[in-house]
């Protein structure tokens, strides 16, 4: 398949329990996206209740949009294709049209399926007269493939986009994504929950003060909190490794000085 270079089909192991502090959003997603997939026969009966074929997750970087997309696919028992748009946007890559067609055709074969497009605004941004011809053609083709999914009531494929800049998205694309969710920066309580989740199975001090940690990390995203914990864990292991190395070295030095003494005794 042409597209194999450009997208990844994940063995997806992300669950809701891997996401902290977003219970309200998860409930909304369950109602709006997952329930219509699980009870398709009820929702697909009328044009007014069709399950959404486009879902948009928007919010600041590192706040869990990708995690949410994967967990949605997992809970709904859907395949998950993570489409790397960078090659779709490369106007020198002559195969982009075949690639887009291959992605949609694979998604249909794998249905029920979520096609996840991170930074969706990077190639489906508001069209301008200055668009490169290849880019404009790509967008048009992508939208017409998407329309094919929307008009086919039996098709169980969802395009799920994520963006930090929803205002840059083409209006026509926004219309194709009727289910829109804001994934916000975590507040104090959410940061506390995220920290607890990240450190849940890590060796930490018994008296770790999560509330204090959360209040001193104002402005941190989930991804920043993960990086903070990673660095702290690495420092700890480095300290342990250094201590162990020093112990080994002093043992070696002692052994060497013992054999020095033995040598001197023999010479005497
Ligand atoms: P981007 O916009 O940069 O693509 P994103 O919103 O898609 O970012 P993710 O990739 O889902 O963010 O999250 C990055 C990492 O941050 C996750 O792998 C996880 O370690 C951590 N993280 C973010 N939000 C949460 C959360 N709510 N609960 C647990 N971990 C989180």
């Amino acid at each position: 398949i042409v597209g194999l270079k450009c997208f990844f089909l994940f063995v997806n192991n992300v669950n809701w329990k891997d996401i902290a502090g977003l219970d309200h959003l998860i409930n909304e997603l369950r109602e709006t996206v997952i329930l219509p997939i699980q009870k398709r026969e009820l929702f697909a009966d009328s044009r007014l209740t069709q399950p959404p074929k486009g879902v948009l997750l928007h919010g600041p970087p590192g706040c869990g949009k990708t995690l949410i997309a994967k967990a949605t696919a997992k809970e709904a028992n859907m395949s998950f294709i993570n489409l790397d748009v960078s090659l779709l946007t490369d106007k020198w890559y002559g195969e982009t049209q075949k690639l887009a067609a291959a992605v949609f055709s694979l998604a249909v074969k794998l249905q029920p399926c979520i096609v996840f497009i991170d930074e969706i605004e990077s190639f489906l941004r508001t069209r301008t007269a200055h668009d490169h011809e290849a880019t404009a053609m790509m967008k048009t083709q992508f939208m017409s493939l998407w329309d094919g999914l929307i008009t086919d009531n039996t098709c169980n494929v969802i395009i799920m986009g994520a963006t930090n800049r929803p205002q840059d998205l083409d209006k026509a694309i926004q219309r194709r994504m009727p289910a829109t969710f804001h994934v916000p920066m975590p507040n104090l309580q959410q940061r506390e929950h995220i920290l607890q989740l990240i450190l849940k199975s890590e060796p930490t001090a018994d008296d770790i003060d999560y509330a204090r940690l959360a209040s001193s990390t104002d402005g941190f995203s989930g991804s920043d909190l993960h990086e903070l914990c990673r660095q702290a864990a690495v420092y700890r292991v480095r300290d342990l490794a250094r201590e162990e190395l020093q112990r080994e070295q002093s043992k070696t030095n002692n052994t060497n000085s013992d054999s020095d003494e033995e040598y001197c005794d023999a010479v005497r």
Side-chain angles (χ1 to χ4, degrees):
I1 299 172
V2 194
L4 276 182
K5 264 174 85 177
C6 314
F7 59 78
F8 303 98
L9 186 63
F10 273 99
V11 177
N12 177 14
N13 284 323
V14 179
N15 286 303
W16 294 130
K17 65 174 172 50
D18 300 313
I19 303 175
L22 292 173
D23 295 350
H24 178 69
L25 183 61
I26 290 171
N27 283 340
E28 267 187 65
L29 270 157
R30 280 204 168 113
E31 289 289 303
T32 321
V33 181
I34 298 175
L35 193 60
I37 292 163
Q38 289 173 328
K39 286 284 153 204
R40 212 187 148 68
E41 64 286 0
L42 295 177
F43 284 86
D45 212 25
S46 147
R47 282 187 60 203
L48 295 175
T49 56
Q50 288 294 312
K53 298 279 174 64
V55 175
L56 182 65
L57 304 171
H58 65 92
C63 290
K65 298 184 291 296
T66 309
L67 282 181
I68 288 171
K70 288 182 181 172
T72 304
K74 182 84 181 167
E75 168 150 341
N77 263 329
M78 299 174 86
S79 316
F80 186 79
I81 295 176
N82 197 344
L83 178 61
D84 177 357
V85 292
S86 65
L87 287 167
L88 284 181
T89 49
D90 183 354
K91 32 190 176 296
W92 306 116
Y93 186 66
E95 300 289 322
T96 49
Q97 297 200 336
K98 279 194 216 160
L99 169 63
V103 172
F104 277 81
S105 144
L106 181 67
V108 169
K109 286 205 174 77
L110 292 172
Q111 65 176 300
C113 179
I114 287 180
V115 179
F116 179 64
I117 311 175
D118 201 5
E119 296 181 19
I120 191 170
E121 85 293 347
S122 64
F123 93 114
L124 294 174
R125 64 172 58 242
T126 309
R127 281 168 285 190
T128 68
H130 307 296
D131 272 357
H132 190 281
E133 192 187 343
T135 315
M137 271 167 64
M138 180 68 226
K139 281 184 197 168
T140 311
Q141 188 213 7
F142 195 92
M143 283 199 246
S144 90
L145 287 165
W146 196 346
D147 287 341
L149 300 182
I150 294 170
T151 48
D152 180 355
N153 288 354
T154 61
C155 180
N156 212 348
V157 175
I158 294 178
I159 306 292
M160 190 174 271
T163 180
N164 313 322
R165 303 189 53 82
Q167 68 279 15
D168 288 352
L169 261 183
D170 196 310
K171 288 275 175 295
I173 296 298
Q174 291 180 22
R175 274 197 303 280
R176 285 167 174 80
M177 303 180 121
T180 298
F181 301 91
H182 179 52
V183 187
M185 278 297 271
N187 61 24
L188 181 73
Q189 202 188 22
Q190 288 165 325
R191 289 198 300 278
E192 191 173 334
H193 288 154
I194 294 174
L195 285 162
Q196 282 167 344
L197 179 69
I198 295 172
L199 296 175
K200 197 172 68 178
S201 27
E202 297 294 330
T204 56
D206 294 337
D207 58 350
I208 188 163
D209 187 347
Y210 286 101
R212 194 162 142 243
L213 265 181
S215 73
S216 56
T217 48
D218 189 21
F220 278 49
S221 66
S223 167
D224 295 333
L225 293 173
H226 189 270
E227 180 56 17
L228 181 73
C229 295
R230 193 193 66 77
Q231 287 190 16
V234 169
Y235 282 138
R236 183 183 154 273
V237 175
R238 270 191 212 156
D239 286 347
L240 287 175
R242 214 178 297 116
E243 281 165 21
E244 207 171 298
L245 212 60
Q246 278 165 358
R247 265 200 307 279
E248 281 165 13
Q249 275 167 355
S250 71
K251 217 191 263 170
T252 318
N253 289 344
N254 286 343
T255 321
N256 286 346
S257 66
D258 285 354
S259 33
D260 277 353
E261 275 173 27
E262 278 166 24
Y263 172 78
C264 291
D265 285 349
V267 171
R268 261 186 244 126

